[in-house]
Amino acid sequence: MTFDQFKDLVAYSQKPGPDLPPLLQALLCDARGDWDGGHRIAQDIESKSAAWVHAYLHRKEGDLGNAGYWYKRAGRPESRSSLAEEWDEIARHLLQD
């Protein structure tokens, strides 16, 4: 799946297919206003990519201390970009894996 296809899925599809990887499902939940759903998915996965998604979600929530912890777990600096830019960056990263 390309980034543009994923963005179309987020914007237009009611339900993602069962083959959508969990961290992309987490971003999809977040994009559709289901922060809790995205958080539930991200917190149950142990990987640097999951930690990045988790950091982004806590940054979006406004819990910067918790976000900082998760950025460190992800091995990434705390983001200074807009939330939308970081969401895109994470999605592009996940789609490369």
Side-chain angles (χ1 to χ4, degrees):
M1 174 180 297
T2 68
F3 176 73
D4 289 335
Q5 289 169 326
F6 181 60
K7 293 283 278 196
D8 285 346
L9 175 71
V10 170
Y12 303 114
S13 179
Q14 293 302 311
K15 262 188 158 172
D19 58 334
L20 187 68
L23 292 176
L24 289 174
Q25 289 179 25
L27 289 181
L28 180 114
C29 286
D30 172 66
R32 292 184 175 171
D34 182 9
W35 185 95
D36 288 324
H39 185 256
R40 272 193 303 276
I41 293 168
Q43 73 181 357
D44 289 340
I45 300 171
E46 290 289 329
S47 71
K48 288 189 176 205
S49 292
W52 187 13
V53 173
H54 205 158
Y56 158 81
L57 288 167
H58 282 293
R59 178 175 170 235
K60 183 173 186 178
E61 175 191 35
D63 186 350
L64 300 182
N66 202 356
Y69 168 80
W70 287 103
Y71 281 116
K72 285 179 188 159
R73 293 271 312 259
R76 302 192 63 85
E78 293 182 27
S79 180
R80 301 284 182 237
S81 60
S82 73
L83 289 168
E85 290 169 334
E86 185 178 16
W87 189 98
D88 286 356
E89 184 181 359
I90 295 169
R92 288 180 192 282
H93 168 78
L94 294 173
L95 289 161
Q96 289 176 7
D97 290 345

